[in-house]
Structure formats: structure tokens, C-alpha cells
Amino acid sequence: MATAGEVFRRSLTETVGQVCDDSSSSSELHVLAVDDSLVDRKVIERLLKISSCKVTAVESGTRALQYLGLDGERASVGFNGLKVNLIMTDYSMPGMTGYELLKKIKESSVLREIPVVVMSSENILTRIDRCLEEGAEEFLLKPVKLDDVKRLKDFIMKGDGKDGGETRILKRKQLDGYASLSSPSPSVACDPSSPLMPSSSPSARSSKRAKLRNKD
Amino acid sequence: MDVMTQLQRQWREHTAYLRKEGYLDDQFEQLQKLQDENSPDFVAEVVSIFFDDSEKLLNNMAGALEQKVVDFKQVDAHVHQFKGSSASIGAMRVKNLCIEFRNHCEAQSLEECVRCLRKLRYEYSLLKNQLEYLFKLEQQIRAAVV
């Protein structure tokens, strides 16, 4: 349980982070969750909060872009809110799909460095490939689990902003290793504490695809 | 056996029953793990949202199927949403019926869709009763602590 001193220090850091528009001074990740389903927003919010993340949950791609300060209609000076460290978006949404949102974010010089994770209840290979190719860090099958969130958080916390491309490739390898561990088939027991098996880069993406395909 | 122990046993047995009968799957347990002293009503809150959402979607499906010219893509969209939310709370039987329903939408078979909707409404109402009973037990357990 946090002491009063710790709590005060943490909230001070958050305030400073807000003013400086720089969340590296705060130890908490700020995640923007995008999903048209209220049920899913509530669940993802809880998953993230329990993993000590700050959460902003919005119901559409349009709202997400507004929050990020990139909605074209309004000239924006800086961000509307706290800096976002990770975007998690549902794929199937009315209006702007998660894929379209992903594209817009990756096309923006301001926002393209923010990692984007796409979530979907449907295990469709072409969909997964499209998203990964467009620059999504990860494609998660719904329902999203606590282990998925923990893994994402570790990934973001480790290499935020350093080394750019190379780190990303390494991270993808690690993620693929994780994917093969946590890829759920109800009859397979997953031991999150078991050592990570590294997968080699060329087969990394196809092994991730294969794992996702085998899910059903 | 005191009241508390009795209630807790009933709760455990009912949860086990719901799992065994396939009303709920592992995802429900995942949600229960997210409930703690900071968020003591989390599961009940999510399920309450699910109930509201479900009733709306079921009515939307009915409405779409009653149109002179049925837009099966529209029906499918509602079923897809229902499939998603039921999967999110671990409502396995409802979710599986949604999968079946989507097949009928794809085949554009009105009769099968109507039958499926009827089954879905029934299955949903069973689940609702079961969950409401479970939450009632929880309330009683909490009251017994005082």
C-alpha cells in the first residue's frame, strides 16, 4: 500500500508530466483505448487500470483522432490531453475501422511513433497481415487477457523511443515468442513464467500467423 | 453451518454449475480476477452493461428481420456485435448461437434467422436469470459480513 508521501510524489509527477507534455517523467503508461462496444471498453479499461496504466477510452476512430489532436477540422496546438504511449483499437467499428485509424496515425508525422495495437474477435489472416504491414505492433485476438496487457506494457516500457527500427525488429521477435506462449487454445496450459523462446526473424511473422490461425 | 458458509458454498456450486453447463466459459473467470477491493462490483457492472446492450441488439435484430426487404448484412452486423460482447463476458452458449446465426445471415435464409433469433432470445434469458441469481447470492454474502 502506497504511503502518503509516495502518493503525493506520484501525483506531483503526473502534474509535471501534464504540463511538460512528457510522460517519461511519469512511471505510468497512458493508453488510449478505442472500441465501439461499451462492454469491451469497460473490460479493457479495467485490464489496463489493474496493470497500473492510465486509460482514456473512446468509442470511435474519429473521437480518437480528436483526442490526439489530429482531426483536421480543428487546428490544434499540441495534444488535447496527456501524451499517449500506446493506442489499442478494435478493428471492426462503424464509420472508421481500426485499420483506417491505424493508417491515419502512421501517416501522421506527429503521431506515427505511438505504438498501435489492433484487437479483433475474428481470426482473419488477411486482416492480421494488413494491420501488421501498416505498422501495427501487435494484433490481439479478443477477448483480451490480462497476460496480453502485461506483455504489451513490458514491451512499451522497455524500449520507448530508443533505437527506432532495430529495437522494433527485436521487439517483434520477442512479441512473437510471447505470442507462441500466450496464444490461447483452451486445452493448452500457458505458463507465463516459463522462459521465453526466441523465434528467428524470417519466420517470426508466419509463426505468429500460424499461432493465431490455430487458435480456433 | 453458519449462514455465511452456506451462502459461499451455494455461490461456488452455482458458479461450477454454470461452467459445467456451458453457460459461462473461462472468460467469466478472467473477469472475476479483475474484481478486487478497488473495484468490488466490476463483474456486476460489466454484466449490467451487457444486459442493456443485449436487449438493444436483440430488438435491432428483430426489427431488421421484420423489414419487407431484409438487409442480411444489417442483421449480421447486430449479431456480430452480440457475439463480441457475449464473448467478452464469457457467455459461451450465447456466443455459439451467434456464430450459428451469422451462418444463416450469410446464407440469407430468413426462416433460419428467425428461428435462430428465437433460440437466442431464449438462451439469453436463461443466462440472465442464472447471472442474476449469482449476483443475488453475492449481495447476500456481503450483507452477511456485516
Side-chain angles (χ1 to χ4, degrees):
Chain A
M1 191 126 133
T3 62
E6 280 173 72
V7 171
F8 178 78
R9 204 172 29 246
R10 204 185 307 141
S11 59
L12 185 62
T13 313
E14 280 173 25
T15 313
V16 169
Q18 217 157 342
V19 169
C20 297
D21 206 356
D22 167 16
S23 72
S24 59
S25 58
S26 161
S27 57
E28 281 197 331
L29 236 52
H30 179 208
V31 182
L32 177 65
V34 191
D35 201 317
D36 62 313
S37 160
L38 184 52
V39 172
D40 289 351
R41 281 205 300 282
K42 179 113 182 142
V43 174
I44 197 87
E45 200 171 42
R46 184 73 195 135
L47 283 171
L48 289 166
K49 280 188 176 156
I50 234 182
S51 308
S52 307
C53 296
K54 286 197 281 285
V55 192
T56 301
V58 298
E59 64 189 3
S60 69
T62 312
R63 285 258 185 274
L65 292 175
Q66 280 171 358
Y67 184 81
L68 293 164
L70 191 79
D71 67 337
E73 287 192 357
R74 304 191 325 236
S76 53
V77 183
F79 297 110
N80 280 343
L82 287 172
K83 179 177 171 182
V84 169
N85 305 114
L86 170 65
I87 297 167
M88 295 181 74
T89 179
D90 187 27
Y91 184 94
S92 314
M93 297 188 290
M96 193 188 299
T97 65
Y99 175 72
E100 286 158 357
L101 175 63
L102 167 67
K103 275 189 80 171
K104 285 205 154 65
I105 290 166
K106 293 304 170 187
E107 280 163 9
S108 153
S109 51
V110 185
L111 300 175
R112 72 160 67 103
E113 286 310 310
I114 307 178
V116 181
V117 169
V118 180
M119 310 176 280
S120 175
S121 56
E122 296 180 297
N123 188 4
I124 298 171
L125 228 50
T126 47
R127 176 180 291 192
I128 297 168
D129 277 347
R130 274 170 97 207
C131 290
L132 293 177
E133 264 147 39
E134 200 60 43
E137 293 301 324
E138 177 72 270
F139 188 99
L140 292 176
L141 285 176
K142 284 173 137 183
V144 175
K145 304 231 175 351
L146 200 54
D147 284 345
D148 293 324
V149 172
K150 290 200 147 92
R151 173 161 60 80
L152 275 179
K153 191 188 169 191
D154 288 343
F155 160 62
I156 305 291
M157 301 287 267
K158 267 189 194 139
D160 194 12
K162 298 189 189 132
D163 303 334
E166 204 182 301
T167 320
R168 187 167 288 175
I169 296 167
L170 286 169
K171 282 179 216 165
R172 179 155 284 150
K173 280 198 231 171
Q174 279 180 304
L175 268 181
D176 290 330
Y178 274 121
S180 57
L181 273 180
S182 69
S183 210
S185 148
S187 55
V188 174
C190 287
D191 179 9
S193 63
S194 67
L196 183 60
M197 280 171 20
S199 50
S200 58
S201 182
S203 59
R205 192 181 288 177
S206 52
S207 75
K208 183 190 290 191
R209 278 201 239 110
K211 284 294 167 197
L212 290 166
R213 203 187 309 149
N214 288 337
K215 184 193 165 151
D216 296 323
Chain B
M1 199 187 288
D2 65 78
V3 174
M4 176 67 123
T5 314
Q6 209 169 0
L7 285 170
Q8 284 173 331
R9 194 178 76 162
Q10 272 181 278
W11 186 91
R12 270 197 312 274
E13 285 174 352
H14 191 63
T15 308
Y17 169 77
L18 293 179
R19 290 291 301 265
K20 181 162 163 280
E21 295 295 306
Y23 285 100
L24 298 173
D25 63 24
D26 187 54
Q27 176 61 14
F28 190 77
E29 205 177 307
Q30 295 288 319
L31 291 188
Q32 288 173 319
K33 286 185 180 155
L34 300 179
Q35 184 163 289
D36 61 18
E37 58 279 353
N38 293 323
S39 202
D41 297 308
F42 172 68
V43 182
E45 284 166 7
V46 179
V47 171
S48 170
I49 295 172
F50 170 71
F51 287 159
D52 289 342
D53 209 39
S54 302
E55 269 137 49
K56 195 186 70 185
L57 287 170
L58 286 165
N59 288 335
N60 288 344
M61 286 172 218
L65 286 170
E66 279 160 20
Q67 299 303 306
K68 258 193 171 162
V69 181
V70 174
D71 180 353
F72 286 99
K73 279 204 158 63
Q74 185 60 259
V75 182
D76 182 68
H78 297 310
V79 182
H80 170 70
Q81 266 196 282
F82 197 21
K83 175 182 154 251
S85 57
S86 54
S88 293
I89 68 149
M92 190 167 80
R93 279 173 27 173
V94 169
K95 181 192 78 178
N96 288 339
L97 258 180
C98 287
I99 294 171
E100 189 191 314
F101 200 154
R102 293 194 78 191
N103 291 336
H104 298 314
C105 290
E106 199 178 320
Q108 307 209 349
S109 162
L110 182 59
E111 201 178 302
E112 290 298 326
C113 281
V114 171
R115 270 185 62 230
C116 215
L117 177 58
R118 205 176 299 136
K119 281 200 280 183
L120 193 55
R121 272 200 195 280
Y122 176 67
E123 200 55 59
Y124 165 73
S125 67
L126 282 181
L127 174 69
K128 187 161 188 237
N129 286 341
Q130 297 290 10
L131 286 173
E132 281 172 344
Y133 175 62
L134 190 71
F135 293 137
K136 182 166 274 172
L137 281 175
E138 284 180 11
Q139 279 175 344
Q140 289 175 324
I141 289 170
R142 253 178 272 190
V145 177
V146 176

